[in-house]
Structure formats: C-alpha cells, structure tokens
C-alpha cells in the first residue's frame, strides 16, 4: 500500500478543486471532440477497466488510481493528440502493428485522432485510417483479454476519457436532491452484531462485523443495511454461510420489522436493505408478509418511471411514503424459471438498479487492495461500474471492508474511506458512492466520509 493512501487530508484538499460532467451527459456527435488537455484515465466503456502501461504493453487493468501507471496526460500534437504516461516522461500510448504499445511520444505511432462517440465516449483513431484503439473480443466462455489492440470500429472501441481530478458540482437545493446524488452510511453484515442474536457458529461469533444492534445502528445514522439470508424450516434466517450450529438465530422479518418501526417513528427518513439471498422466492415473500406496515413504506422504482425519468428526489420519496428500498443479489433468470419473481412482491434485483465494486480489500490484517472494479465482471457476466442508461444512473454501492473484521484494521480502513472513494472508486465508476458499506462503522468515523460525499455531486 502506498503511503499516499494514508493521507486523507491531502485527498480532501485535492478534492476541493474537483467538479464533474455526469456520466450520462449526451454530447452531440462531431467530427472530433477531444476534451481539454489534462490527466485522464482511458477507460473502456464495455468493461470499465483502464488502459495501463504494463512494461511496454498497453493492457486493461482494474482501476487503481495513480498506483498502476493508468494515468495519461492528454495534449495536442499537430492535428491530433498524444497521451503521455504520467509515470514515464516521453512514453505515450501508441500502437505497433495490431497491438497497443507504449511508444516514444515523438513517434507518429503515438498520435491519435479523437472522435466523439456520443454519451461522453470517444474513439481513439489512428489518423488517416479507420483503425481504433480496442478491447479485443471476448473468447467463448472467457474474460476479455488484458492486452489492447487496434482494429475496426465496434462497441469495443468506445472509451471514456475520465479526468483523474474531475471537477465537482454543488448539490442542488435540499428539496431537489435525487437519490442518486446522495450518499448513505451502510453497514456490511448488519445483523452480525453480537447484540440482536446469533449469526454464526461460536468461533466466528468472536469476530462480528458490527458491535451494535440494528436499532442502535438506525439511531446512529446508518441508512443502508446488508443481510445474508439462508433458508431453514423456520423461514429466511440471518446467518453467515450456514445456519447450522447457530444459537438464537434471528429471522429476516424481525430485523425488517425493526426498520419499519423506525421509519414509522421517523417519517422524514429513507432506508435501503441489500439481501445476499439464498432462499426461494416463496420463502422470502412469506417472510416479508410477516412485517407489519412494510407495504405502506416499500418503494418500487419500476412502477414509478425511474428507469425512464431518473431517480426521485428524497423529498418526493418522503412525501409519497416510498421510504424503504429492498434489493436482492439473486438471479432474475432463476426466479423466472421457478415461476415467481421477487419484484412481484416489491424486492428489486440489484443488478438491474445498482452497480457494485468487488467486495473484499483483502485479509483482516496487512496491506489492502484499493483497486475498484465491478463485483459483476467475469466470464459469465459483465456489468461495469460505469454502466449508465439514457436518463438513468444506477446507484453505486461501494464496498469498503476486508475478509475478516478486525477492529484495528477496520478503524484504519474507515478513516481512509473518503480517500479511497475520491481517488479510486469515483473515477472508476464515474460517479460518487451512494452507499458506503463498511465493517465496524463505530470506529474510524466513516460517517464523516459520508458527510463529505454529501457536500457535492459528481
């Protein structure tokens, strides 16, 4: 881990100059439309991964801030532009035969014509040709290759030029702030707290993800909760991996009732629940039906035009009493085959409404991995953090925790959450986190990071 990660104050000072064009902005097509000279990430619109200098080759790597030779200094060069590596003076992103390579900036192979592809995307074209910087096609059953190339125009040749230090916009007035412009403190494995009941076999209970119960979390300002649910003869039960050997386990409906009761007592609040979901849809529906008052506050964006018109303002959600969002990570396809989809009873499929970075920063102690890349990127699926649709921005869940919740490590990680969010995850997703999900929210003051994130819109 670089020492710079431990300097959140520097990150905050640098961020004071930041403001950004929303990733959904649609720019009218033009022959050429290069952004202003400056430092950028060259980010695939298909995979969300960044072009990196890898010992002379140019490969797509997981977004990793300024730590992996992924930043390029864009400047005009004759009728075109060059992209010089910030980490190697005189070394530019270029081409050699059909490969993307790092070449001498004085070479004609380093010059690109930058064409506007719309929606803030660009084509990097070899001047005088119809050959473009491209992600190579995905082989059957595999991931996209790391090595980038030069080829004919396709969806794989569309790139974001994402500023390394984007400018920030001030939030709209309080009554006009939409859900996707706001950030919320969110607890990882909220139920695994050692207060409300058992959640794992005794030896795992020694390392709870949280140490305060759900009601205290709500009182402390937590507004996002993540629950692992497993199926037993008693219904949907909250526990880690398996409910076997768990003493005094808690049912999902019990914690949902705590949340609904809080919402009824605080009519100006909105809460989101994320389910790591291992139960049949009928079991989940039965569990939800046990919660008194839940239908009155449940928010269903599919029935209120969100995908067509964007997210509602917080004030609209409060006025309409649409104040509880429930997401599942379960597969819609599996539910469709079973004959009952969860959105029929108000539970949203997370992949359709959110993007989310990979869940772990590493083991419980030692250096952390701050790379910020999609949890849902692999041979079987590809949902980049940069995904947008016309008029609609998916909510961004930023996972910021380790494999094992160690208090001292969580304290350090949480104290640096804003640093990682601004320097790594915001440029990786081209939006700020809407949900900052942490272990041990009671140490390291991650709430302060959320407060800072709520001071602007990117």
């Amino acid at each position: 881990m670089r020492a710079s990660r431990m300097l959140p104050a520097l990150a905050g000072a640098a961020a004071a100059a930041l403001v950004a064009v929303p990733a959904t902005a649609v720019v009218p097509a033009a022959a050429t439309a290069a952004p202003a000279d400056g430092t950028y990430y060259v980010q695939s619109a298909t995979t969300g991964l960044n072009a990196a200098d890898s010992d002379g080759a140019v490969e797509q790597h997981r977004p990793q801030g300024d730590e992996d030779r992924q930043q390029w200094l864009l400047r005009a060069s004759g009728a075109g532009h060059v992209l010089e590596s910030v980490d190697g003076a005189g070394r530019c992103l270029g081409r050699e035969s059909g490969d993307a390579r790092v070449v001498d900036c004085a070479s004609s192979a380093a010059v690109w014509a930058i064409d506007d592809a719309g929606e803030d995307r660009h084509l990097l074209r070899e001047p005088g040709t119809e050959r473009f910087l491209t992600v190579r096609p995905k082989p059957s059953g595999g991931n996209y290759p790391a090595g980038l190339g030069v080829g004919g125009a396709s969806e794989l040749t569309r790139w974001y030029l994402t500023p390394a230090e984007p400018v920030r916009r001030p939030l709209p007035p309080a009554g006009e702030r939409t859900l996707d412009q706001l950030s919320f403190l969110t607890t990882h494995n909220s139920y695994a707290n050692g207060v409300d009941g058992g959640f794992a076999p005794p030896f795992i209970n020694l390392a709870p993800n949280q140490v305060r119960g759900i009601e205290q979390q709500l009182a402390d300002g937590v507004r996002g909760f993540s629950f692992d649910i497993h199926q037993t003869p008693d219904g949907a039960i909250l526990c880690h991996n398996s409910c076997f050997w768990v003493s005094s386990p808690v049912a999902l409906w019990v914690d949902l009732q705590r949340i609904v009761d809080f919402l009824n007592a605080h009519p100006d609040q909105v809460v989101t629940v994320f389910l790591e979901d291992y139960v049949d849809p009928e079991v989940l529906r039965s569990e939800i039906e046990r919660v008194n008052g839940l239908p009155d506050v449940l928010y269903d964006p599919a029935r209120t035009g969100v995908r067509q018109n964007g997210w509602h303002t917080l004030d609209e959600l409060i006025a309409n009493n649409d104040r509880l969002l429930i997401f599942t990570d379960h597969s819609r396809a599996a539910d469709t085959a079973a004959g009952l989809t969860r959105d029929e009873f108000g539970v949203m499929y997370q992949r359709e409404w959110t993007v989310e970075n990979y869940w772990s920063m590493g083991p419980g102690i030692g250096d952390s991995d701050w790379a910020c890349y999609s949890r849902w990127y692999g041979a079987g699926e590809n949902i980049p953090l940069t995904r947008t649709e016309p008029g609609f921005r998916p909510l961004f869940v930023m996972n910021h925790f380790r494999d094992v919740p160690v208090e001292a490590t969580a304290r350090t990680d949480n104290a640096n959450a804003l640093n990682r969010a601004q320097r790594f995850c915001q440029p990786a997703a081209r939006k700020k986190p809407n949900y900052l999900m942490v272990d041990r929210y009671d140490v390291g003051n991650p709430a302060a990071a959320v407060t800072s994130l709520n001071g602007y819109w990117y």
Side-chain angles (χ1 to χ4, degrees):
M1 179 172 70
R2 292 173 85 166
S4 60
R5 290 186 179 173
M6 306 305 294
L7 298 175
L10 290 181
L18 302 175
V19 161
V21 177
T24 52
V26 178
V27 180
T32 60
D37 289 1
T39 303
Y40 293 87
Y41 298 101
V42 180
Q43 188 173 21
S44 169
T46 298
T47 67
L49 305 183
N50 288 342
D53 174 0
S54 181
D55 297 323
V58 179
E59 298 178 346
Q60 57 171 350
H61 288 184
R62 296 167 177 172
Q64 199 164 327
D66 58 358
E67 298 190 351
D68 187 43
R69 297 185 291 183
Q70 298 180 9
Q71 293 186 348
W72 305 90
L73 180 60
L74 177 72
R75 66 173 188 270
S77 178
H81 289 80
V82 295
L83 288 150
E84 182 178 16
S85 172
V86 168
D87 297 291
R91 293 166 53 80
C92 281
L93 191 160
R95 52 203 175 270
E96 185 178 287
S97 300
D99 297 325
R101 301 284 301 178
V102 177
V103 301
D104 191 305
C105 290
S107 166
S108 62
V111 179
W112 299 93
I114 299 180
D115 300 337
D116 186 355
E119 296 183 314
D120 206 25
R121 305 176 186 190
H122 299 84
L123 305 173
L124 275 65
R125 178 170 51 84
E126 179 180 355
T129 76
E130 291 301 311
R131 287 160 43 89
F132 303 87
L133 179 69
T134 187
V135 173
R136 290 197 161 103
K138 184 176 183 178
S140 177
N143 294 331
Y144 290 101
L148 301 177
V150 181
S154 72
E155 286 299 314
L156 299 178
T157 62
R158 297 174 184 271
W159 300 89
Y160 293 113
L161 295 177
T162 300
E165 292 191 355
V167 201
R168 298 192 211 156
R169 292 186 174 190
L171 283 178
E176 300 175 14
R177 296 169 184 174
T178 56
L179 190 65
D180 59 317
Q181 294 173 335
L182 298 170
S183 299
F184 301 92
L185 179 61
T186 303
T187 48
H188 172 235
N189 287 349
S190 317
Y191 64 95
N193 54 56
V195 174
D196 295 325
F199 60 91
F203 67 92
I204 299 179
N205 276 332
L206 296 175
N209 297 95
Q210 313 299 332
V211 295
R212 298 176 180 174
I214 298 299
E215 291 175 347
Q216 186 62 53
Q217 292 180 38
L218 285 161
D220 290 343
V222 173
R223 293 296 178 265
F225 297 83
S226 67
F227 296 138
D228 291 11
I229 53 173
H230 293 265
Q231 189 163 319
T232 76
D234 296 321
I237 303 299
L238 299 166
C239 42
H240 257 312
N241 300 322
S242 168
C243 298
F244 196 64
W245 296 119
V246 177
S247 61
S248 302
V250 178
L252 172 64
W253 78 267
V254 173
D255 274 352
L256 288 180
Q257 188 69 65
R258 290 184 172 114
I259 290 171
V260 171
D261 290 347
F262 171 84
L263 289 172
N264 287 335
H266 300 83
D268 60 341
Q269 297 300 305
V270 174
V271 171
T272 303
V273 172
F274 299 94
L275 301 178
E276 187 172 322
D277 188 345
Y278 302 100
V279 306
D280 293 336
E282 309 88 33
V283 171
L284 181 57
R285 178 170 63 180
S286 297
E287 198 77 8
I288 285 176
E289 288 175 347
R290 297 183 68 180
V291 182
N292 293 326
L294 186 146
D296 297 332
V297 294
L298 193 61
Y299 177 40
D300 187 348
R303 297 180 181 178
T304 53
V306 167
R307 194 170 296 280
Q308 295 75 31
N309 303 310
W311 293 98
H312 293 93
T313 67
L314 204 64
D315 280 17
E316 288 171 333
L317 296 180
I318 292 167
N320 295 326
N321 209 26
D322 292 333
R323 296 185 295 119
L324 176 62
L325 295 79
I326 304 178
F327 293 100
T328 175
D329 69 351
H330 205 83
S331 163
R332 173 185 283 277
D335 285 350
T336 301
L340 175 63
T341 59
R342 289 161 211 251
D343 54 359
E344 291 180 44
F345 48 90
V347 176
M348 298 170 279
Y349 291 96
Q350 193 175 344
R351 288 168 175 81
E352 298 176 5
W353 297 99
T354 74
V355 293
E356 180 176 336
N357 64 308
Y358 181 68
W359 62 271
S360 173
M361 296 193 295
I365 58 175
D367 286 352
S368 59
D369 180 2
W370 279 19
C372 217
Y373 57 98
S374 178
R375 174 184 179 184
W376 301 312
Y377 174 76
E381 63 182 346
N382 175 39
I383 304 176
L385 294 182
T386 55
R387 177 171 68 96
T388 60
E389 300 171 23
F392 170 70
R393 291 162 56 93
L395 302 173
F396 174 25
V397 180
M398 177 182 157
N399 293 313
H400 187 75
F401 49 84
R402 310 282 190 107
D403 296 356
V404 178
V406 176
E407 179 178 348
T409 303
R411 184 185 303 275
T412 300
D413 287 344
N414 290 346
N416 286 278
L418 182 63
N419 191 354
R420 184 180 182 222
Q422 292 179 333
R423 292 178 49 232
F424 287 71
C425 292
Q426 277 184 184
R430 294 175 57 83
K431 48 186 166 282
K432 72 177 185 180
N434 300 110
Y435 298 94
L436 178 60
M437 188 177 293
V438 300
D439 281 334
R440 292 301 305 271
Y441 79 96
D442 58 303
V443 298
N445 200 11
V450 172
T451 298
S452 295
L453 290 170
N454 278 322
Y456 65 93
W457 179 47
Y458 167 33

